[in-house]
Amino acid sequence: MSFLKLFKATKMMKLVPLGILTVCIVVFVMRVDEKSAVGAKIDINPIPFTDLVTPRTVTVEVKKKAMVIIPEKYNEANVRTRLMQEKIRRLMAKNQDVARDEKGQNGTELTRHVHIFYYAPVKWFKDNSRNSSRDRRETPNIIFYPARGLYQPTREIFQEHFREIRSSGVGVLVISWSPAVNLKLLKLLVNVSREHNLTIAVSIESYPGRTIDSIERNIKFFCDTFSEHLHRIHILPRNSLMTIFYIREPFMLPWADWRGLKRSCNALLIAHIISKDHTSLARRAGFDGFYTLLGSNGATYASTWKHWQHLQKFATQYRMLFIPSVAPGFAERKRSMRQRHRSNGQYYGVAWRTAIRLGVPIISISSYNDWPHGDQIEDAVSRVGFKDYSTASGKTHKYLQLTSHWIEEFRKHRGKSPADTCSALFNNTVCL
């Protein structure tokens, strides 16, 4: 009986491979029929026989989605938007400059509420005698290098400068003057400024041998020689025109001596101050107002922006005129502690915003071309050994365009009043 069972089992084992082979053939035939029905290509991938008969563990590979940690990056979309906006602003500023030039010399785009300090000639070297030397191996006394080179004042230079100043919207040119300035050059400067509809204010420098008597003669000289070109403001209560004169460093002379100064052409004297007590000293000395001049924030009390509100309150209380001076930066070689970086125009913007919020009637810009002090808005170029305005091309009209922008903001704050209008100044009314 057991022999019969063994025989049957052995016979069945022989039939197992045959059965498995039969099943594989049937499955293959069915796949061929399905793919031939749709015209698909038949791929024959034979299955090893050992895989059919040998049991094995099937490993299932589960692919997990890897976590990608993206580091924080600069927002490219915002960068592109900002660059596009800057490009549009540059194009708009350029179109505005062209439009201003095309409108002619009618003064409609100028404002007499903004004054700018101008120097001719510029002291490129510490010793003026070197300016006439052809062999200039000495390093100029400047931090930035001008786009026009180390120029000397000529009619062509004046034409270019005053065209840029006018295009930016500035209406009053404050010329730095001392008896050393050549009279022929001074007349040329005044004549060219008139061609561009710029009026003149005079900054009397602290020259050697300056006295109260010499300043009287200086004021009388300008009133007699350039009366038609000088900038005047109309004081309604006095019913008279007054001519502005900026007095540089009046504290170099005794304050009490200034009260005896005789004024020609009804001069309006504005004192340069640097300390807090200079405001009261200037008032007692008979000055009509004061200005800050220095463009280095924090270097002196008067040049510190946060003190301007106090200076404005003092001027309002005593019916004086406060003229803050804004600058794009400050960079002179001999005093590194006064260095103030331009920060790509941000420094200039803070100074302008601070002055505008005070509600002052006049803002002065220091300066157009005071290169030795590094506070100029004139174009500079990239040059080895000198700083530039941090632009890719090395040459830029950036600060001329910024000046135009901030003058427009000043206009908006004043209600976009025309250039020759009257505005309330304390208990008086001043027409600029």
Side-chain angles (χ1 to χ4, degrees):
M1 186 68 180
S2 59
F3 177 79
L4 181 60
K5 291 181 179 180
L6 181 61
F7 175 80
K8 291 181 179 181
T10 303
K11 189 175 182 181
M12 292 297 294
M13 288 297 294
K14 291 181 179 180
L15 294 177
V16 168
L18 182 61
I20 294 174
L21 181 60
T22 304
V23 171
C24 292
I25 293 172
V26 172
V27 172
F28 177 78
V29 172
M30 292 177 63
R31 288 180 61 188
V32 170
D33 292 339
E34 291 176 356
K35 291 191 175 184
S36 61
V38 296
K41 183 179 179 180
I42 301 173
D43 296 328
I44 302 176
N45 297 317
I47 302 175
F49 181 77
T50 55
D51 292 345
L52 296 174
V53 298
T54 305
R56 62 189 181 92
T57 304
V58 179
T59 303
V60 180
E61 183 179 357
V62 180
K63 294 184 179 180
K64 297 183 179 180
K65 187 176 181 180
M67 295 180 62
V68 180
I69 301 176
I70 302 176
E72 185 178 355
K73 294 183 179 179
Y74 198 82
N75 194 318
E76 295 183 2
N78 291 343
V79 172
R80 293 176 182 174
T81 302
R82 178 176 57 82
L83 292 176
M84 184 62 66
Q85 291 174 349
E86 291 180 357
K87 185 175 181 180
I88 293 173
R89 283 197 295 268
R90 288 195 299 269
L91 292 174
M92 292 178 63
K94 183 178 180 180
N95 293 335
Q96 289 175 359
D97 292 343
V98 173
R100 287 172 181 165
D101 291 338
E102 291 177 350
K103 286 184 179 180
Q105 307 298 325
N106 54 17
T108 56
E109 294 293 333
L110 302 182
T111 173
R112 309 297 180 186
H113 297 270
V114 179
H115 302 182
I116 191 166
F117 289 90
Y118 184 82
Y119 297 82
V122 178
K123 298 179 181 179
W124 300 113
F125 300 91
K126 293 182 180 179
D127 184 6
N128 283 340
S129 63
R130 295 178 182 176
N131 284 343
S132 59
S133 175
R134 293 184 179 181
D135 185 14
R136 296 179 178 176
R137 296 180 181 177
E138 303 89 348
T139 302
N141 187 34
I142 54 178
I143 297 294
F144 300 91
Y145 198 85
R148 296 181 174 92
L150 305 183
Y151 56 80
Q152 294 300 312
T154 62
R155 170 174 284 276
E156 291 72 21
I157 288 294
F158 288 153
Q159 290 280 4
E160 294 177 9
H161 286 179
F162 298 162
R163 187 182 302 112
E164 291 180 352
I165 291 173
R166 183 190 180 281
S167 297
S168 65
V170 178
V172 180
L173 194 71
V174 183
I175 58 174
S176 175
W177 182 86
S178 71
V181 177
N182 182 275
L183 179 58
K184 183 178 180 181
L185 177 65
L186 180 61
K187 290 182 177 180
L188 176 62
L189 185 153
V190 173
N191 290 333
V192 177
S193 67
R194 187 177 184 180
E195 295 174 6
H196 294 271
N197 200 21
L198 299 174
T199 56
I200 297 296
V202 181
S203 172
I204 300 179
E205 299 297 310
S206 180
Y207 54 83
R210 188 181 71 168
T211 63
I212 297 297
D213 292 337
S214 68
I215 293 176
E216 287 181 358
R217 293 192 297 269
N218 299 152
I219 294 176
K220 188 176 186 304
F221 162 73
F222 277 98
C223 293
D224 294 341
T225 309
F226 304 103
S227 177
E228 297 180 358
H229 305 278
L230 297 179
H231 178 63
R232 290 183 172 87
I233 60 176
H234 188 198
I235 307 297
L236 289 185
R238 302 182 189 180
N239 194 24
S240 61
L241 292 172
M242 301 192 71
T243 306
I244 290 184
F245 284 89
Y246 291 84
I247 307 299
R248 179 79 175 268
E249 297 179 347
F251 43 83
M252 300 300 292
L253 297 174
W255 286 101
D257 294 350
W258 288 97
R259 294 199 65 87
L261 186 144
K262 298 178 182 179
R263 308 186 185 190
S264 302
C265 63
N266 206 5
L268 188 76
L269 300 184
I270 310 297
H272 168 217
I273 65 170
I274 61 175
S275 64
K276 185 177 181 180
D277 60 338
H278 283 174
T279 55
S280 57
L281 291 172
R283 180 182 66 85
R284 297 190 186 101
F287 283 92
D288 301 287
F290 46 85
Y291 70 107
T292 59
L293 182 64
L294 185 62
S296 178
N297 177 41
T300 65
Y301 179 87
S303 67
T304 304
W305 298 332
K306 66 180 180 180
H307 296 155
W308 286 0
Q309 187 174 6
H310 170 76
L311 296 176
Q312 172 64 0
K313 288 181 179 180
F314 182 92
T316 303
Q317 181 180 357
Y318 293 100
R319 303 178 185 178
M320 300 179 72
L321 182 64
F322 171 50
I323 303 178
S325 302
V326 298
F330 196 85
E332 59 181 356
R333 289 186 179 273
K334 61 181 180 179
R335 294 182 180 179
S336 59
M337 295 299 294
R338 290 185 174 185
Q339 303 282 354
R340 297 296 181 268
H341 296 288
R342 299 191 172 218
S343 300
N344 199 27
Q346 296 181 14
Y347 183 91
Y348 198 32
V350 174
W352 267 103
R353 282 192 294 269
T354 305
I356 291 173
R357 290 171 183 172
L358 295 174
V360 294
I362 299 175
I363 295 177
S364 62
I365 301 173
S366 180
S367 63
Y368 177 78
N369 64 339
D370 187 7
W371 291 91
H373 289 127
D375 58 5
Q376 74 287 337
I377 64 171
E378 187 183 4
D379 290 348
V381 292
S382 179
R383 189 181 178 97
V384 177
F386 298 90
K387 294 183 179 180
D388 57 25
Y389 294 159
S390 300
T391 58
S393 62
K395 181 179 179 180
T396 175
H397 296 278
K398 176 191 300 183
Y399 290 99
L400 294 170
Q401 293 175 356
L402 286 176
T403 299
S404 179
H405 165 76
W406 287 113
I407 288 177
E408 290 300 323
E409 293 297 317
F410 188 33
R411 286 177 181 273
K412 294 177 182 178
H413 190 270
R414 295 182 54 82
K416 296 184 179 181
S417 59
D420 296 323
T421 57
C422 301
S423 59
L425 177 62
F426 322 130
N427 291 334
N428 297 327
T429 301
V430 175
C431 300
L432 301 175

